[in-house]
Every structure is written in structure tokens, then in C-alpha cells.
Amino acid sequence: MNRDNRNITGHNEENLLSGKKYNIITFGCQMNEHDSETIAGMLQQKGCIETFSKETADITIINTCSVRENADKRFFGTLGQLKKIKEKNPEYVACVCGCMMQQQHVIDTVKAKYPWVDIIFGTHNIHRFPELLEKVYGEKQKVAEVFEDADDIVEGLPAKRLYKHKSFVNIMYGCNNFCTYCIVPYTRGREKSRRPEDIIGEIKRLVADGVKEVTLLGQNVNSYKGKGADGKLCDFADLIYMINDIEGLERIRFMTSHPKDLSDKLIQAYVDCDKLCNYIHLPVQAGSSRVLKLMNRRYTREGYLELVEKLRNAVPDIAISTDIIVGFPGETEEDFEETLSLVRAVKYDSAFTFLYSIRKGTPAAEYEDQIPEDVKHERFNRLVEAVNAESAARNAAYVGRIERVLVEGVSKKDETTLSGRTEGFKLVDFPGSAELAGSMVDVEITEGRTFSLTGKLV
Ligand code: 5AD
Ligand code: SF4
């Protein structure tokens, strides 16, 4: 098909995408998962059909993550596999998007070494993807379109949700923090907050569609700065109070918060808002104030510990999880031991632990005192041991408690077992039948393990 088949508004008179099978491979965080839901939603609107393997698809989209090096490696591995599929089926359309594509050196590599890629797009022009795809089908040409940043937030995009009963909701995009190890501010651009009305409207529609739990997404939700149609400013705590009033919604979560911006007003919201789950993911990154300074985190060990104390005083049974990086440039044994002692002091419910990974273009990549790999691994293992011991102890203390659980579905291991999440985001397995999926039930906890709980329906 050529240009003549397009009308002047740029819409196709004939839908080139109808009936095409697509497969999305997603790497990285919830933000990426949600972007993939949007891509799927737009393709469904065009009449495409989802398939769960790249071999049976007409179109494969790889949504990339650039936060750590192992995600890069997995991406290039997967991209290599697409070559064979394309050789067998020249009509196959290979697309890559996401954070990695916001880096020019990655685009150059993809173009030079992976010439079977048809479409490259970025994090700021997801909404343009169906049009780019039509271009590939219609004009038989490859496209690369990546914007450095976006001026406006595009509203009203559809999403094909992974779950019926819970949903992600973006409240802001981008990050202004420039932690020295992190690539995100370069790939996701500057902070932009959605308007409160748009967020509330979206959540109301989700609730009408059966959603009971929303997870508000942003790189640093605590710095949300919305502006209402009336011109009034709305901060993150204000937004939580507004969402808490939405009838039919049962649970509110959010990801991720930055300790430097966590306000007393938000802590009060935990007390006042019954729908806000008693759970917080509060990335600490390191336990030594010296390393935190090198990381440009803008809080100290003591400040973080005070914050945790304040949270626990206000919300005694709040579950806390975190992110920790080991082997940041210049980290000494003493610095690392401060991380271990912080883990023991906070008693995290769970923690994601990462080996520091050099990210080209970030300040820390230029630091001279990079830590040797063997030292990083040795510290990593000790950290995991400490984190797991705390998780196991926290989870063991749940035995005998009755927890409200949102049932996610049948367990992957066994058809007679259901899996769900407690308010504190702990995974619980318990005997039950599939029709309970999506409902809220009370479960008595009978066993607490390192990564999950076991229980029985009350
Ligand atoms: N190396 C290792 N971990 C990193 N993270 C971000 N950048 C890096 C890096 N260069 C971790 C942080 C962040 C989480 C999403 O990923 O802990 O909170
Ligand atoms: Fe990266 Fe720091 Fe922004 Fe989080 S707050 S996305 S770690 S720069």
C-alpha cells in the first residue's frame, strides 16, 4: 500500500494492522510493564491479536531496560534470536523500544549490527507506534524515531491490562534527581506530572471495569506536582486523599518514593486513608552517609533511619521494602558494613539487592575507584544473607495473624492453591478454588518463609 491510500488526516482508510499477531517482550520495571500494556492496548484497538511467543508472531516488540548491564545483555541476546525468525519469514516485523533506545550509542549499535530491526522508537513517543508500524507495512521502509524529551503528556491511550482486578496508573513521568549511578534521568527525561483530574478519571474508569487495587507509578512519586483545572496545586499526599475517596476502589499502592521527599503529610495520609496499604518501598541504596553523598541521594543514614522510625510510629505494622546497591565506586569494607548494619536496624520485609553496574554517561561511570568484581560479589552474597534473615524473621512473625488478601489467581505450582497479596505486599499461598480470583478474602497465616507466607481461608 502506498501514500495514496492515506487520507489527509493521516489515518488509513484500510487498516493494515488488522489480524496481525504481536508479541511483546518486556524487560525492567513496572513503568516498562505498563508501557507494554499501553502498546498492547493500541495494537488491540487496531485489531491485532496477542500471541505469547515470538516465533508465532507477525510483529515482535522488545521493550528494553537500561538500568543495569545484565538487562542490556539479555536484550542483545533476544535481538539476535529474531534474526533467524526474520530469515524464515521476511514479512516479520521486529521492533525495539524503551529506555535503551533513548541512548544514541545503543541506536547506532542496533542499526550497525542488527539490520533486521524494522522499528526503533523511544519512551516519549509510544503513542506514535501504531503509525510507525503502518508506515513499515505500507511503505516497506524501516523507521527510527526517538525524541529526546516530551513537552506534553499524551492522555487517553488505551491499555491491555495484565490483571483484571489490579492496575498500574502513571501519575508522573521522568526524574530530576540525577543519582550519580542512574541512567533513568537521561532516558526518561525531566519530571512531568499528570493532572489530578486525568488520574482520578482514569482510576474511576478502572474501578468501573472491576479494578480493586491501583499502583500509582512514578520514578519519584513524592515529588508529584499536579495542577488542577482550577489552577490549584496538588501534591502527592493531596492526590492520595482524593483517590482514597473513590468509591469501589479498595487498595492504593505506589512506586517508587525517594526518602528525601517523603513528607510528614504523606505519613499522615497513611493514618487517615483507609485504602492506602500499610506498605512502602523506600529505596535506601546504601547505609553509609559517605556513599550516599557520592551517590547524590541527598539524605544521610541517620535521616533515613529517622524517617523509618517516624513511619513505624505512625503506622506500627507498615511493611517496608528497599533497593540496595553494593560495590558503588569507592565503597570501603567499613561503608559496606554500615549497609549491613542498616539492614539489621531497619528489619526490612524484603529488599532488592543489586551489584553496581557502570552506566555510560552517568557521573559514577567516570569515578576512578571502581570496585573489583570479586569484591562486589563477595559483599553481595553477605548482603543477601543479611536481607534474607530479616525477611524470614519478619515473615515468621505473621504466623497466627489474619490478613486481608487480594487473590491474584491459581498458584503456578499447583491448581488447588491460590496466590494473593497481603496489604503489606507479601505473597500468600493458600488452598482455594479458582473462582476466588480477583476477590478479597481473609487468610490466617500458618507459616512464614523467606519470600512468602502460607495460610488458610478463614
Ligand atoms: N547499578 C546497579 N543498580 C542500579 N540501580 C539503578 N542504577 C543502578 C546501577 N547503575 C538500582 C537502584 C534503583 C533500582 C531500580 O535499580 O537500586 O533503585
Ligand atoms: Fe534513578 Fe535516582 Fe531518579 Fe530513582 S531517583 S530514577 S535512582 S536518578
Side-chain angles (χ1 to χ4, degrees):
M1 191 174 287
N2 58 36
R3 279 179 181 282
D4 300 333
N5 294 82
R6 288 169 172 248
N7 64 27
I8 47 168
T9 58
H11 292 300
N12 280 341
E13 284 158 4
E14 189 182 308
N15 185 359
L16 292 170
L17 305 182
S18 181
K20 299 269 188 250
K21 285 185 271 170
Y22 69 93
N23 173 231
I24 308 181
I25 301 166
T26 309
F27 293 100
C29 65
Q30 287 91 346
M31 197 73 84
N32 260 21
E33 265 180 51
H34 190 42
D35 284 349
S36 290
E37 290 183 329
T38 304
I39 293 169
M42 292 187 301
L43 293 179
Q44 296 281 135
Q45 242 179 19
K46 289 278 180 186
C48 299
I49 304 153
E50 186 161 30
T51 167
F52 294 96
S53 104
K54 53 188 185 309
E55 284 77 17
T56 55
D58 301 306
I59 305 159
T60 287
I61 303 116
I62 311 180
N63 190 359
T64 63
C65 166
S66 54
V67 167
R68 285 172 298 276
E69 194 188 2
N70 58 0
D72 290 17
K73 284 190 184 147
R74 282 163 58 215
F75 162 62
F76 285 117
T78 311
L79 198 49
Q81 294 162 10
L82 298 191
K83 183 181 183 196
K84 281 203 197 88
I85 307 177
K86 186 103 184 182
E87 277 166 1
K88 276 195 223 144
N89 172 13
E91 296 293 306
Y92 190 68
V93 179
C95 318
V96 295
C97 66
C99 290
M100 281 179 80
M101 300 310 130
Q102 293 295 137
Q103 299 163 276
Q104 191 56 47
H105 68 93
V106 176
I107 298 178
D108 295 342
T109 305
V110 171
K111 284 185 174 168
K113 297 198 181 151
Y114 303 86
W116 53 91
V117 170
D118 297 288
I119 302 183
I120 299 175
F121 63 108
T123 57
H124 303 296
N125 60 342
I126 286 172
H127 59 287
R128 301 241 321 126
F129 177 56
E131 202 173 313
L132 303 181
L133 201 52
E134 280 166 348
K135 206 167 187 165
V136 167
Y137 276 111
E139 299 171 16
K140 303 274 179 247
Q141 56 170 285
K142 293 181 187 294
V143 232
E145 184 186 276
V146 173
F147 303 151
E148 214 165 279
D149 208 339
D151 294 330
D152 300 311
I153 293 172
V154 180
E155 288 292 342
L157 296 179
K160 181 173 187 285
R161 296 202 314 274
L162 225 50
Y163 292 93
K164 179 105 191 72
H165 62 277
K166 62 175 191 179
S167 181
F168 296 126
V169 175
N170 272 120
I171 64 164
M172 60 188 300
Y173 300 88
C175 181
N176 292 352
N177 289 312
F178 292 93
C179 302
T180 55
Y181 51 81
C182 186
I183 194 76
V184 170
Y186 309 91
T187 60
R188 291 268 172 184
R190 296 293 67 74
E191 284 176 3
K192 278 176 261 319
S193 297
R194 286 178 75 191
R195 291 193 317 187
E197 293 86 353
D198 291 331
I199 297 168
I200 303 290
E202 180 179 341
I203 298 177
K204 284 185 175 164
R205 284 191 297 278
L206 288 168
V207 169
D209 196 32
V211 165
K212 296 196 169 128
E213 174 184 300
V214 289
T215 301
L216 311 176
L217 292 182
Q219 307 298 343
N220 173 15
V221 291
N222 304 116
S223 65
Y224 172 83
K225 271 189 215 74
K227 197 169 173 189
D230 54 4
K232 260 192 144 157
L233 290 178
C234 166
D235 66 16
F236 184 55
D238 297 329
L239 184 69
I240 296 279
Y241 281 93
M242 286 158 77
I243 297 173
N244 194 59
D245 285 338
I246 296 178
E247 220 168 290
L249 181 68
E250 301 210 31
R251 283 180 164 177
I252 307 167
R253 303 187 186 280
F254 57 82
M255 272 284 201
T256 290
S257 53
H258 194 307
K260 79 176 166 59
D261 299 315
L262 199 148
S263 65
D264 289 349
K265 194 169 156 188
L266 181 65
I267 296 178
Q268 189 56 39
Y270 274 103
V271 179
D272 297 338
C273 301
D274 56 327
K275 293 174 188 171
L276 183 58
C277 287
N278 289 346
Y279 167 69
I280 189 164
H281 183 67
L282 194 62
V284 67
Q285 311 298 0
S288 135
S289 295
R290 198 185 71 84
V291 172
L292 287 169
K293 187 147 205 259
L294 293 171
M295 289 177 161
N296 189 32
R297 290 291 287 177
R298 288 178 278 172
Y299 54 84
T300 59
R301 171 193 177 89
E302 293 70 31
Y304 185 90
L305 288 172
E306 270 168 35
L307 200 54
V308 168
E309 196 180 315
K310 252 201 247 175
L311 275 163
R312 289 229 169 99
N313 284 340
V315 195
D317 73 342
I318 194 164
I320 306 180
S321 61
T322 199
D323 291 343
I324 303 171
I325 298 175
V326 283
F328 184 80
E331 181 190 72
T332 62
E333 174 61 25
E334 290 70 40
D335 291 323
F336 173 66
E337 281 170 16
E338 286 202 70
T339 298
L340 285 182
S341 75
L342 180 127
V343 164
R344 291 183 183 123
V346 175
K347 302 187 191 312
Y348 287 109
D349 289 86
S350 63
F352 296 95
T353 48
F354 305 108
L355 289 164
Y356 169 71
S357 166
I358 294 182
R359 302 288 69 202
K360 206 169 168 176
T362 62
E366 307 300 323
Y367 292 177
E368 276 172 8
D369 35 8
Q370 300 289 333
I371 306 296
E373 286 303 311
D374 56 336
V375 177
K376 273 195 222 172
H377 279 91
E378 188 262 343
R379 287 180 189 164
F380 183 82
N381 293 340
R382 283 157 68 201
L383 178 64
V384 170
E385 211 174 295
V387 160
N388 288 352
E390 297 305 331
S391 302
R394 296 282 297 176
N395 287 349
Y398 274 69
V399 173
R401 275 172 66 153
I402 297 189
E403 289 284 313
R404 195 108 181 102
V405 170
L406 178 54
V407 186
E408 306 214 320
V410 176
S411 149
K412 284 184 195 113
K413 291 167 255 167
D414 167 12
E415 269 182 25
T416 61
T417 302
L418 296 177
S419 286
R421 295 268 175 188
T422 66
E423 198 181 323
F425 204 57
K426 290 177 188 289
L427 194 66
V428 196
D429 288 333
F430 54 98
S433 54
E435 66 268 18
L436 285 176
S439 62
M440 297 282 264
V441 295
D442 287 326
V443 174
E444 185 188 333
I445 306 305
T446 53
E447 195 190 339
R449 288 181 309 277
T450 309
F451 302 111
S452 66
L453 307 172
T454 307
K456 57 176 192 238
L457 277 169
V458 176

